[in-house]
Amino acid sequence: MKKRLLCILAALAVVCLSAPGWAMQGLSEEDRVCMGCHDQERFMLFESGEKVSVKVQPGDIKRSVHAILGCTQCHDFAAGDHPRRVFKTREQYHILAARTCTKCHTSHKTEIHAKLIKKSPKGTVCTDCHGAHNVRRAREMTQGNRLCLNCHAVEAHMTFKDGTRQSIQIDEKILNQSIHKDLSCSDCHFGFSSEEHPVRAFRSKRDMSIALSESCRRCHFDKYSKTLESIHFNLLAQGNLSAPVCTDCHGAHSVLSGRREKLANARKCQQCHGAIYGQYVQSVHGGALISEHNEDVPICSDCHKAHDISDPRTADFRNTVPQLCGKCHENKEIMKKYGLSTSVVDSYLQDFHGVTLKFYRKKASARSIAVCTDCHGIHDITSTRGADAATIKANLARRCQKCHQDATHNFPDSWISHYEPDLKKAPLVYLINAGYKIFIPFMIIGLLLQILLHIWRYAVNK
């Protein structure tokens, strides 16, 4: 019953809104007279054979910034003295009709209009950008990108002081695919609007990229603050203009979320770190990401962070490696999928290397202690199972020999890896541990009993 009532009300609303009388509501009496003819589909014919519709939507007039003006204010004639005019072409009509705008608006003589018109296709007039009957305020137009794209959708170039050129043509499809698609151009290009388009001169394309990337901090100040602590910012501050800025990683007009598409995210780093990326794609992590689209594996930013990237050559970074690896290898949910131990960090911290690392970390010592990457590799990490096991063992032995000069080829076998010993993994160690757990309490109880008996015997014989 309720649905039927809603349908009836909706149908009545459609009928009322489409009725001519309703559509004319809000228009002046003079405009209603004009609309008596111009709300019907009619055409103006030109000598060239072209034609243009003269139908006007009442809604366009009511929404226009010129709604307070009557038709005669712009067209210079009323319905009663409508002249019969003849134009050669549609273009000629547009040019002559647009001249009426200059009676009120002198801003067409500003620098930005002069520059835009100079670069625009021949014959571009006011109504091409601002509209005819649906004229909107310039600041309303800049909420979208249409005004800027009037010029930036066509091929044009920016020339830098070093003589190089950069296309400033923007593909609207790319803008609409960006995570910033709901922003307008002027939200990022601060200081630019329909009235203001300052001329900026950059020494090079790189100078322009660095300068424009500063716009990102207006919204992403938390991320920007982190970048101030990164190795990339330090390099840039030292004069290395090749150090990446926001737009180098996230894009400029095709900004993508850093949380999506792990592979695309990793490839951003490839632009500067090509050799390392080449090692990564051959690793057990990179291989799974590329060939299996497995997003459980880490990418560059998971280990090195995204914005506050530390120098990986420092002792501080090296000392955090066990915790970095532990972020994934202590995750029970992920490790369960692949049958891997979640005792990686615990087993490391409990053995000699881990205890020593914790000791030197407390002392703030820079002494190098073996961490995960020394045995497993850094970017070229391979699986510890399968055909590469022998290679891993050989590499491990060579790593052991750096500190243990007399270590033999079988030296790594003395270690039971990151797994807790059980009847399947290291059964002999497991049985010895179990024997100790049974034998030692009996030994302690026997020792205490023997002491008590000695005391009792001493007391009796006294």
Side-chain angles (χ1 to χ4, degrees), residues 382-398 409 412:
T382 55
S383 172
T384 56
R385 303 167 179 170
D388 293 331
T391 305
I392 294 171
K393 182 178 177 181
N395 293 336
L396 192 57
R398 283 194 290 273
H409 176 71

Side-chain angles (χ1 to χ4, degrees), residues 120-188:
S120 301
K122 185 181 179 182
T124 301
V125 295
C126 310
T127 51
D128 291 328
C129 299
H130 297 276
H133 297 101
N134 57 344
V135 180
R136 291 186 298 161
R137 291 182 176 86
R139 62 174 178 272
E140 293 175 340
M141 296 173 68
T142 56
Q143 293 302 310
N145 298 321
R146 177 49 45 197
L147 182 67
C148 301
L149 289 173
N150 281 331
C151 295
H152 286 279
V154 299
E155 183 64 29
H157 289 84
M158 181 176 187
T159 302
F160 304 105
K161 291 181 180 178
D162 63 1
T164 57
R165 302 174 75 207
Q166 168 67 31
S167 171
I168 55 173
Q169 183 179 16
I170 306 299
D171 188 343
E172 189 174 7
K173 291 181 180 177
I174 292 178
L175 287 179
N176 292 333
Q177 293 170 358
S178 167
I179 195 172
H180 287 167
K181 62 183 179 183
D182 294 329
L183 300 180
S184 65
C185 303
S186 57
D187 287 327
C188 295

